[in-house]
Amino acid sequence: MSTLPLIDRQEAIDLVAEQRWADLRPLLARWPEPEIADLLAELTPAEQVVVFRLLPRFLSSDVFAHLEGDEQNDLLSQLNSEETRQLLANLSPDDRTQLFEELPGQATQKLLNLLSPEDLREARQLLGYPEESVGRLMTPDYVAVRPEWMIGYALEHIRARGRDSETVNIIYVTDAQWRFVDAVELRRFILHPPHETVSQIVDDNYVVLSAFDDREKAVQALRRYDLPALPVIDSQGVMIGIVTFDDLLDVADEEATEDFHKGAAVAPLKTSYPDAKIYELVKKRAPWLVTLIFVNIFSGAAIAAFEDTIAAVVALVFFLPLLIGSSGNAGAQAATLMVRALAMGEVQLRDWGRLFSKELFVSGLLGLSMAIVVCALALVRVSPEVAMVVALTMFVVVIVGSLIGTLMPFVLSRFGFDPATASGPLITSLADIAGVLIYFSLATWLLGLL
Amino acid sequence: MSTLPLIDRQEAIDLVAEQRWADLRPLLARWPEPEIADLLAELTPAEQVVVFRLLPRFLSSDVFAHLEGDEQNDLLSQLNSEETRQLLANLSPDDRTQLFEELPGQATQKLLNLLSPEDLREARQLLGYPEESVGRLMTPDYVAVRPEWMIGYALEHIRARGRDSETVNIIYVTDAQWRFVDAVELRRFILHPPHETVSQIVDDNYVVLSAFDDREKAVQALRRYDLPALPVIDSQGVMIGIVTFDDLLDVADEEATEDFHKGAAVAPLKTSYPDAKIYELVKKRAPWLVTLIFVNIFSGAAIAAFEDTIAAVVALVFFLPLLIGSSGNAGAQAATLMVRALAMGEVQLRDWGRLFSKELFVSGLLGLSMAIVVCALALVRVSPEVAMVVALTMFVVVIVGSLIGTLMPFVLSRFGFDPATASGPLITSLADIAGVLIYFSLATWLLGLL
């Protein structure tokens, strides 16, 4: 990253080691907050608390918000009550909610006791929304004006209130009962004469969220409407907060990571990979692996059923990995294309029929080209009879695998599961069973081994 | 999505069908731009151009920016030169660059001829940056002030210039030669007395990008620093534009989709799945499928090498799909965890040794639990000897598969490939070969079949 003020982390670490606090302070004041957070993470607990106390108060809460969950917990345990109280008061409400979510229950309770009555009410309210809801991501720090105000007066209000709010690019218009009226870009206030009223620049063009909406909905709205912040209302239409693009970007990243993990038959990790404990990784991976053993037993059983065919033409076994592998690979491709298109809203559940026909064509062409390749191989290495069986099997299993991959996300979704669970490993295992049955049935029939 | 002003698309379509343009116009003025773009996409070309001409000019260019590439091309072909000229002039420079990128070469040339000399210079410059570079995403519409200006004067300037700029939340400070000095939040201007100078609120705390940086770098900076816009400089430190969060969010989504597709052995699609043509889908999927056939030949060859062992104990074949499947599944899990952690910057290339040891432990535990399950199965169904071979094989192949999955992303990256190419299907195929060799070697040795 070409960050112009060169971040010389070693210099800072040396200053800490030499306890030259007076030199460290002005250096850190010029660093972006995430860099300071990374520096803290590298220090000993005793050093951490000294450096943290060096930071100007407005900076220290932002730095704190950039620490990982357990780093926050460690640092908190070093601060005294008054410092903790001030830190909590300076954290923005959405960062505070996140902290409370990640700390163990007892620690959260201790912190709640340190809040001012007003902040406590706010925290209780935000924590009252369901997990993964828009309410949890929300901050009440926004600027609202009334429709009947003159624009000049509204601008004064924006100046006075803007310092605490997370964004001033968008100003919200609410009525006397705080019911949401409109979202208006700041520039419209600047462009219109100060003696006009706010109601004259209201354009009824807005997008709102409910606090109970799934956070995934908020991300979709951000994708679609490109707004830096979205207003949040309750069931009465009263405006209760905003969600900002930076929190939604984090959610989008987390959801994509979850889909990646599910797609490889890993239960989503709650922490980043390097932070995940070994037993946690085992716990997230073992259930699917063991489940797939039982799915794979059917492949074994299918092979067992054709014991005579195999014993008669052992050469058939040579092509088994190739054929069932290709079927699984084509299925994994189709499933991934579907899962991602569903996640990005490019495809809806009701489209399954149209996509099924499209995939039939695509996989037919794929199966044909692969059948030609594998037929040539079998002709060279075994016999024309086996080549015919192998080529025909390839054509059929690529189509069958692809169709399993295409339909599985829709089937899972229909039964209330996340379509992303239609993972490569699951599709591969199912395609294996289908592949074995098709291969040996065709072989038994075509080679006259009945 | 709970968008409060109910978007009644059917009503709009009916109004179009009845040609009640006077009623349609006020209705559309209250719709968000993406909704109008979706409506246009559903109309006939003749209706499209009428509806488009109905839109207020400031709205029409925003709606145009939300259309898909070929929809833009179709609409452009219906507009006359003067309309096209005005549309292009009203498009923001980054949306214009994207349009030029997506149109066929000749169409782009025709459009360039319609630009004003100033816009033409700008377009040529933006198109001069490499594909997927920050320069292509950049817009020159931002507000810059000088350090020596008084804050009151700077605010006047912001008011005057802010109407055209993409964001006013952040104001850029540049010297007389337009060299970048600092990025300052608008609220700092509002909080300080108007007679102080800009240089007094400059805090040297900023993040900048080069126009030649990869766009992926810009996304990482957005993730890290949570800024709604990032300044872009040239090699002399001269500020030449900004990139905004909404464009970077699109890039983040595109890059994640690319990684999903690569992870399932699909060459990344340039269009969304429903828009992709059948031959395009075949072209993106066939190369990997055919390549994997050749990888899978080795599995077949490995099986062939153990023909005698198989002929002696045909029951061994029953467990083959189970064992190589488990190895491939564990490998796909490990590879996906690595690829995603690398993409999110949680893990660096130099960490490979540490991750290798961690995975050795994790996969050892996974292998052990799976060996126990499969041993019980084999005891029930075949014989203690086969059970021993199968259990031992399971333990070893789960570890080997996992380690292949862990290392492959790093190996690919080391040789200049995208680590995301370490796809499930590739890992599965490699794990198959290793699995076959290990299984039949152990069987031949332990069952005394040499």
Side-chain angles (χ1 to χ4, degrees):
Chain A
M1 195 70 47
S2 33
T3 50
L4 265 202
L6 281 172
I7 303 296
D8 188 346
R9 200 181 290 181
Q10 196 49 55
E11 184 190 353
I13 291 176
D14 291 345
L15 288 177
V16 171
E18 297 164 25
Q19 312 208 334
R20 288 166 54 193
W21 311 120
D23 297 328
L24 184 62
R25 195 182 170 140
L27 183 75
L28 292 187
R30 293 197 352 228
W31 283 21
E33 294 85 354
E35 308 290 352
I36 306 180
D38 279 4
L39 173 70
L40 281 181
E42 283 186 28
L43 302 178
T44 67
E47 290 168 345
Q48 263 178 19
V49 70
V50 179
V51 173
F52 191 72
R53 282 172 181 150
L54 274 185
L55 300 173
R57 191 166 305 158
F58 70 90
L59 198 61
S60 64
S61 51
D62 281 354
V63 168
F64 185 82
H66 276 100
L67 290 172
E68 296 287 320
D70 35 351
E71 291 162 8
Q72 289 181 330
N73 203 359
D74 292 349
L75 185 56
L76 277 177
S77 67
Q78 308 251 356
L79 298 178
N80 63 39
S81 294
E82 185 47 36
E83 285 169 331
T84 309
R85 192 193 310 273
Q86 286 188 353
L87 173 64
L88 288 176
N90 284 319
L91 274 180
S92 72
D94 50 344
D95 289 333
R96 219 186 280 147
T97 312
Q98 210 188 348
L99 170 66
F100 293 148
E101 274 178 353
E102 287 182 5
L103 288 183
Q106 263 191 321
T108 301
Q109 196 48 53
K110 239 171 72 188
L111 291 185
L112 286 173
N113 292 338
L114 293 173
L115 291 181
S116 71
E118 196 193 331
D119 285 348
L120 181 61
R121 204 171 41 76
E122 197 175 86
R124 284 247 161 80
Q125 200 205 337
L126 293 176
L127 285 171
Y129 293 107
E131 268 185 56
E132 312 224 326
S133 72
V134 166
R136 290 283 183 109
L137 294 174
M138 195 169 66
T139 174
D141 293 343
Y142 59 91
V143 184
V145 298
R146 296 276 176 75
E148 65 272 18
W149 287 358
M150 288 211 297
I151 288 176
Y153 179 74
L155 273 172
E156 281 303 314
H157 180 77
I158 294 165
R159 272 195 203 101
R161 285 294 315 272
R163 73 184 74 178
D164 292 330
S165 81
E166 285 228 355
T167 175
V168 291
N169 255 358
I170 300 179
I171 303 299
Y172 301 93
V173 185
T174 56
D175 68 14
Q177 281 76 47
W178 283 89
R179 276 192 300 260
F180 179 84
V181 176
D182 201 0
V184 179
E185 286 188 291
L186 177 63
R187 73 181 73 176
R188 286 177 74 93
F189 283 86
I190 291 168
L191 287 176
H192 280 258
H195 59 269
E196 288 187 8
T197 64
V198 172
S199 58
Q200 289 176 279
I201 57 170
V202 157
D203 62 359
D204 276 342
N205 185 334
Y206 56 84
V207 180
V208 296
L209 296 167
S210 148
F212 289 93
D213 279 342
D214 192 280
R215 59 184 197 165
E216 183 64 0
K217 259 199 182 172
V219 175
Q220 280 162 10
L222 178 71
R223 283 206 179 99
R224 188 161 172 81
Y225 301 105
D226 291 346
L227 295 165
L230 292 162
V232 183
I233 58 169
D234 69 8
S235 52
Q236 263 74 50
V238 170
M239 177 152 182
I240 48 180
I242 59 172
V243 284
T244 53
F245 80 94
D246 49 330
D247 297 320
L248 293 177
L249 180 71
D250 292 344
V251 172
D253 284 340
E254 274 174 41
E255 302 270 345
T257 300
E258 267 190 39
D259 282 359
F260 268 105
H261 290 174
K262 284 184 190 159
V266 180
L269 296 175
K270 288 284 166 198
T271 45
S272 73
Y273 180 81
D275 292 339
K277 306 272 183 300
I278 286 180
Y279 78 86
E280 190 186 354
L281 286 168
V282 172
K283 215 176 64 186
K284 300 290 185 183
R285 289 169 60 177
W288 261 112
L289 288 179
V290 172
T291 308
L292 291 171
I293 289 185
F294 289 94
V295 178
N296 278 317
I297 287 174
F298 289 98
S299 305
I303 294 179
F306 291 99
E307 195 168 345
D308 295 342
T309 304
I310 297 170
V313 190
V314 178
L316 286 174
V317 182
F318 312 155
F319 292 95
L320 184 61
L322 185 60
L323 292 168
I324 65 180
S326 298
S327 174
N329 291 341
Q333 289 183 332
T336 301
L337 286 168
M338 266 344 116
V339 167
R340 186 64 182 160
L342 280 167
M344 299 305 292
E346 295 168 358
V347 155
Q348 311 299 321
L349 285 184
R350 61 171 184 275
D351 299 333
W352 73 269
R354 202 163 45 81
L355 297 168
F356 183 89
S357 332
K358 188 171 185 177
E359 186 62 25
L360 199 61
F361 272 98
V362 173
S363 60
L365 290 172
L366 287 173
L368 195 64
S369 28
M370 294 170 73
I372 294 169
V373 173
V374 86
C375 181
L377 282 173
L379 271 178
V380 174
R381 292 191 39 192
V382 198
S383 66
E385 290 76 23
V386 170
M388 182 185 60
V389 173
V390 167
L392 189 58
T393 304
M394 181 63 101
F395 178 67
V396 176
V397 297
V398 166
I399 295 176
V400 171
S402 297
L403 294 181
I404 292 175
T406 304
L407 289 186
M408 190 56 68
F410 294 96
V411 172
L412 286 170
S413 206
R414 180 68 191 72
F415 289 100
F417 296 98
D418 184 338
T421 320
S423 64
L426 176 62
I427 304 289
T428 306
S429 302
L430 293 176
D432 278 0
I433 302 173
V436 168
L437 288 175
I438 293 167
Y439 183 34
F440 291 122
S441 301
L442 282 174
T444 310
W445 175 53
L446 289 173
L447 301 181
L449 296 169
L450 284 174
Chain B
M1 197 71 47
S2 33
T3 50
L4 266 201
L6 281 173
I7 303 297
D8 188 346
R9 199 180 292 182
Q10 196 49 53
E11 184 190 352
I13 290 175
D14 292 344
L15 288 176
V16 171
E18 298 164 22
Q19 312 209 334
R20 288 166 54 193
W21 311 122
D23 297 328
L24 184 63
R25 194 182 172 142
L27 184 75
L28 291 187
R30 293 193 356 224
W31 284 22
E33 294 86 354
E35 308 289 350
I36 306 178
D38 278 5
L39 174 70
L40 281 180
E42 283 186 28
L43 302 178
T44 67
E47 291 168 344
Q48 263 178 19
V49 70
V50 180
V51 173
F52 192 73
R53 282 172 182 151
L54 274 185
L55 300 173
R57 192 166 304 159
F58 71 89
L59 198 60
S60 64
S61 51
D62 281 354
V63 169
F64 184 83
H66 277 98
L67 290 172
E68 296 287 319
D70 35 351
E71 292 164 8
Q72 288 181 330
N73 203 358
D74 291 349
L75 184 57
L76 277 177
S77 66
Q78 308 249 358
L79 298 178
N80 65 37
S81 294
E82 185 47 35
E83 285 169 331
T84 309
R85 193 193 309 275
Q86 286 186 354
L87 173 65
L88 287 176
N90 283 319
L91 274 181
S92 72
D94 49 344
D95 289 334
R96 218 186 281 147
T97 312
Q98 211 188 343
L99 171 67
F100 293 148
E101 274 178 354
E102 287 181 5
L103 288 182
Q106 262 190 321
T108 301
Q109 196 47 53
K110 238 172 75 188
L111 291 186
L112 286 173
N113 293 338
L114 292 174
L115 291 181
S116 71
E118 194 192 333
D119 285 348
L120 181 61
R121 202 170 43 74
E122 198 174 85
R124 285 248 160 80
Q125 199 204 339
L126 293 177
L127 286 171
Y129 293 107
E131 266 184 57
E132 312 225 326
S133 72
V134 166
R136 289 284 183 109
L137 293 176
M138 195 168 67
T139 173
D141 292 343
Y142 59 92
V143 184
V145 299
R146 297 277 174 75
E148 66 272 18
W149 288 357
M150 287 211 298
I151 288 176
Y153 179 74
L155 273 172
E156 282 302 315
H157 180 76
I158 294 165
R159 272 196 203 100
R161 285 295 315 275
R163 72 183 76 176
D164 293 329
S165 80
E166 286 229 357
T167 176
V168 292
N169 256 356
I170 300 179
I171 304 299
Y172 301 93
V173 184
T174 57
D175 68 13
Q177 282 76 47
W178 283 89
R179 276 192 300 259
F180 179 85
V181 175
D182 202 359
V184 179
E185 286 188 290
L186 177 63
R187 72 181 74 179
R188 286 176 75 93
F189 283 86
I190 291 168
L191 287 177
H192 281 258
H195 59 268
E196 286 187 10
T197 64
V198 171
S199 58
Q200 287 175 280
I201 58 170
V202 158
D203 62 0
D204 277 343
N205 186 333
Y206 56 84
V207 180
V208 295
L209 296 167
S210 148
F212 289 93
D213 278 343
D214 191 279
R215 59 184 198 165
E216 183 65 358
K217 260 198 181 173
V219 174
Q220 280 163 9
L222 177 72
R223 283 207 178 97
R224 190 161 171 80
Y225 301 106
D226 291 345
L227 295 165
L230 292 163
V232 183
I233 58 169
D234 70 9
S235 53
Q236 263 74 51
V238 170
M239 177 150 183
I240 49 180
I242 59 172
V243 282
T244 52
F245 80 94
D246 49 328
D247 297 321
L248 293 177
L249 181 70
D250 292 344
V251 172
D253 283 341
E254 275 174 39
E255 302 270 345
T257 299
E258 266 190 38
D259 282 359
F260 269 104
H261 290 175
K262 283 185 189 159
V266 179
L269 295 175
K270 288 285 167 200
T271 45
S272 73
Y273 179 81
D275 292 339
K277 306 270 184 301
I278 287 181
Y279 79 86
E280 189 187 355
L281 285 168
V282 172
K283 215 174 64 185
K284 300 290 184 182
R285 290 169 60 177
W288 261 113
L289 287 180
V290 172
T291 308
L292 290 171
I293 289 186
F294 289 95
V295 178
N296 278 318
I297 287 174
F298 289 97
S299 304
I303 295 178
F306 291 99
E307 194 167 347
D308 295 342
T309 305
I310 297 170
V313 190
V314 178
L316 286 174
V317 182
F318 311 156
F319 292 95
L320 185 61
L322 185 59
L323 292 168
I324 64 180
S326 298
S327 174
N329 291 342
Q333 289 183 332
T336 301
L337 286 168
M338 265 347 113
V339 166
R340 187 64 184 161
L342 280 167
M344 297 307 289
E346 295 168 357
V347 155
Q348 310 299 322
L349 285 184
R350 60 171 184 276
D351 298 333
W352 73 270
R354 203 162 47 80
L355 298 168
F356 183 89
S357 333
K358 188 170 185 176
E359 185 62 26
L360 199 60
F361 272 97
V362 173
S363 61
L365 289 171
L366 288 171
L368 195 63
S369 29
M370 293 169 73
I372 294 168
V373 173
V374 87
C375 181
L377 282 172
L379 271 176
V380 174
R381 293 189 41 189
V382 198
S383 66
E385 289 77 25
V386 170
M388 181 186 62
V389 173
V390 168
L392 189 59
T393 304
M394 181 62 101
F395 179 67
V396 176
V397 297
V398 166
I399 296 178
V400 170
S402 297
L403 295 181
I404 293 175
T406 305
L407 289 185
M408 190 56 67
F410 294 97
V411 171
L412 286 170
S413 206
R414 178 69 190 72
F415 288 100
F417 296 97
D418 185 337
T421 320
S423 64
L426 176 62
I427 303 289
T428 306
S429 302
L430 293 176
D432 278 1
I433 302 174
V436 168
L437 288 175
I438 293 167
Y439 183 34
F440 291 122
S441 302
L442 282 175
T444 310
W445 175 53
L446 289 172
L447 302 180
L449 295 169
L450 283 175

